[in-house]
Amino acid sequence: MLTTRPTGTNDFLPGESEKWQYIEQLCRQVCAEYGYKEIRLPIFEHTEVYLRSVGETSDIVEKEMYSFEDKGFRHMTLRPEGTAGTVRAFLENKLYADPQPTKLYYMGPMFRYDKPQAGRYRQFNQFGIEVFGADHAGIDAEVITLAVEIFRRLGLTGLSVKINTVGCADCRPKHMEELKTYFRQYEDKLCDTCRDRLERNPLRILDCKEDGCKEVCKGAPTTIEAACDNCSTHFNKLLEYLDAVGISYEIDTNLVRGLDYYVRTAFEVVINSVGSAQNALCGGGRYNGMVEQFGGDDMPGIGYAMGMERLLLTLKEQGIELPVSKHPEVYIAPLGEAAQKEAFVLTQALRGKGIYTEKDYLGKSLKAQMKAADRFQVAYTVIIGDSELEKGIAVVREMATGEQHEVALSQLVEDLEGRLK
Ligand code: HAM
């Protein structure tokens, strides 16, 4: 136990963590260009926050929440997703009083007690965006574009945007009744989960991955057929906006997503190589009505979240090397205790100039230190022994050529700065 991490969690070690930083920085950069500001939220919320929003028939609420009672007997849940907490914070901090729309982003760990497998974990990380106060289809297009742009800058290929309209308070009740009538005829062909969904939320049957259910779904009344005029107009406008900026998409009438809060737009960006169940790199949609459900005024919302672990897996699968800097530029090799101290001072001075510098702390032989410098793949190694100290100099070795120069210690920082330019 002491040396085993909990099932479904990951350690991201040096070598890997630089990639995370790179992607997080890219997300921040793109958000800055699009005018999305960061919101940092608690990792746990009152359980009610998720019951109200994610929905009682969702897998998350039914079986995946990490819930606990705190010492004050309050019901708390480790956040399984970021949208509900953002809505809570939007209201609590009165962000609705700011000029709208409010455009936010977040990143961090989420928790779902799910069956772990490649691309599916119990603690995983999302980068997500949420927009409040804009009902125009153009903002739906912007949200989708912001996801596609991140994937594009990472150099990912073979992605497709799947998109659907899932109805609203006006057209969904009728569609639900039509679905119930339709699925009741095939009840014996549905899987156990879908049989259970039939009366409670038949819409979810549409995205069941079981072969039998998929077959039955082929004849079911689709969300697009059931859409009211307002939903249809919104959907068509969104598609026009995506066409206008050249974002290709596939309309997937079975895409209803696993969270109950979506209305109108629902979308996912999928990749086919991570196995069929975990192919969604990102998913989101509109959730008009959620702010009102939390006690606020009627205020539209839309957003998505991207699974960071899945993104990294996909980058690996596609052989994409991120330009993360790995090597120090200078290695300082002291020989003897007096040189150690001088080397420490020089190391600090070089780092103060923004030069990534490493030094020996183990009192290794010159040969072993040169080996270490090679392993670090530095551009320059600085050798300081007793005789160099006496003369007030250091030997600077250019690793690529093997050329060596003597440089006065007082000039060393300047000298290396010049060489590294
Ligand atoms: P979601 O589809 O549940 O949506 O999750 C979004 C993404 O998080 C998925 O597409 C996937 O990449 C990643 N993900 C989900 N579960 C796991 C897991 N167990 N292990 C690894 N990655 C996972 C939401 O969370 C919504 N809050 C998105 C949203 C924002 N909708 C509107 N605004």
Tab-separated table of all heavy atoms in Angstrom, residues 68 115 126 148 162 245 277 300 309 346 412:
chain	number	residue	atom	x	y	z
A	68	PHE	N	-18.425	12.300	0.289
A	68	PHE	CA	-18.092	12.032	1.690
A	68	PHE	C	-18.796	13.044	2.591
A	68	PHE	O	-19.257	14.089	2.130
A	68	PHE	CB	-16.571	12.098	1.913
A	68	PHE	CG	-15.955	13.437	1.568
A	68	PHE	CD1	-15.717	14.390	2.552
A	68	PHE	CD2	-15.629	13.756	0.258
A	68	PHE	CE1	-15.147	15.622	2.237
A	68	PHE	CE2	-15.065	14.990	-0.066
A	68	PHE	CZ	-14.822	15.917	0.918
A	115	LYS	N	-14.449	2.688	-14.115
A	115	LYS	CA	-13.615	1.494	-14.303
A	115	LYS	C	-12.344	1.926	-15.037
A	115	LYS	O	-12.433	2.315	-16.212
A	115	LYS	CB	-14.394	0.494	-15.148
A	115	LYS	CG	-14.033	-0.931	-14.868
A	115	LYS	CD	-15.060	-1.834	-15.488
A	115	LYS	CE	-14.525	-3.199	-15.740
A	115	LYS	NZ	-15.369	-3.915	-16.692
A	126	GLN	N	-8.743	18.033	-16.550
A	126	GLN	CA	-9.445	18.681	-17.666
A	126	GLN	C	-8.953	20.110	-17.832
A	126	GLN	O	-8.610	20.781	-16.868
A	126	GLN	CB	-10.954	18.753	-17.382
A	126	GLN	CG	-11.698	17.451	-17.525
A	126	GLN	CD	-13.203	17.643	-17.354
A	126	GLN	OE1	-13.665	18.661	-16.818
A	126	GLN	NE2	-13.966	16.671	-17.801
A	148	VAL	N	-10.642	23.291	-31.378
A	148	VAL	CA	-9.971	22.855	-32.617
A	148	VAL	C	-8.614	23.551	-32.763
A	148	VAL	O	-7.627	22.949	-33.186
A	148	VAL	CB	-10.888	23.136	-33.834
A	148	VAL	CG1	-10.169	22.907	-35.144
A	148	VAL	CG2	-12.143	22.270	-33.749
A	162	LYS	N	-17.777	16.057	-33.846
A	162	LYS	CA	-19.127	15.494	-33.977
A	162	LYS	C	-20.082	16.464	-33.305
A	162	LYS	O	-19.798	16.956	-32.209
A	162	LYS	CB	-19.208	14.142	-33.284
A	162	LYS	CG	-18.208	13.171	-33.845
A	162	LYS	CD	-18.796	11.814	-33.976
A	162	LYS	CE	-17.844	10.974	-34.798
A	162	LYS	NZ	-18.363	9.741	-35.234
A	245	VAL	N	-15.607	29.452	-41.230
A	245	VAL	CA	-14.179	29.464	-40.857
A	245	VAL	C	-13.496	28.150	-41.227
A	245	VAL	O	-12.375	27.871	-40.781
A	245	VAL	CB	-13.952	29.801	-39.359
A	245	VAL	CG1	-14.253	31.261	-39.080
A	245	VAL	CG2	-14.747	28.887	-38.444
A	277	ALA	N	-14.184	3.309	-26.953
A	277	ALA	CA	-14.884	3.892	-25.808
A	277	ALA	C	-14.249	5.204	-25.341
A	277	ALA	O	-14.941	6.106	-24.900
A	277	ALA	CB	-14.914	2.893	-24.662
A	300	PRO	N	-27.957	32.119	-20.420
A	300	PRO	CA	-27.453	30.973	-21.182
A	300	PRO	C	-26.002	30.625	-20.847
A	300	PRO	O	-25.248	31.483	-20.379
A	300	PRO	CB	-27.563	31.439	-22.629
A	300	PRO	CG	-27.596	32.915	-22.577
A	300	PRO	CD	-28.181	33.314	-21.262
A	309	GLU	N	-5.165	13.819	-20.076
A	309	GLU	CA	-4.454	12.542	-20.199
A	309	GLU	C	-4.680	11.954	-21.590
A	309	GLU	O	-3.756	11.428	-22.216
A	309	GLU	CB	-4.933	11.539	-19.145
A	309	GLU	CG	-4.423	11.798	-17.741
A	309	GLU	CD	-5.203	12.857	-16.988
A	309	GLU	OE1	-6.133	13.452	-17.582
A	309	GLU	OE2	-4.876	13.111	-15.814
A	346	LEU	N	29.126	30.726	-8.932
A	346	LEU	CA	29.004	30.931	-10.390
A	346	LEU	C	27.665	30.401	-10.912
A	346	LEU	O	27.014	31.020	-11.759
A	346	LEU	CB	30.140	30.212	-11.113
A	346	LEU	CG	31.493	30.925	-11.073
A	346	LEU	CD1	32.580	30.006	-11.615
A	346	LEU	CD2	31.426	32.226	-11.900
A	412	LEU	N	33.531	35.276	-16.318
A	412	LEU	CA	32.920	34.023	-16.781
A	412	LEU	C	31.446	34.154	-17.177
A	412	LEU	O	31.027	33.659	-18.233
A	412	LEU	CB	33.072	32.941	-15.695
A	412	LEU	CG	32.746	31.567	-16.235
A	412	LEU	CD1	33.949	30.967	-16.933
A	412	LEU	CD2	32.287	30.641	-15.133
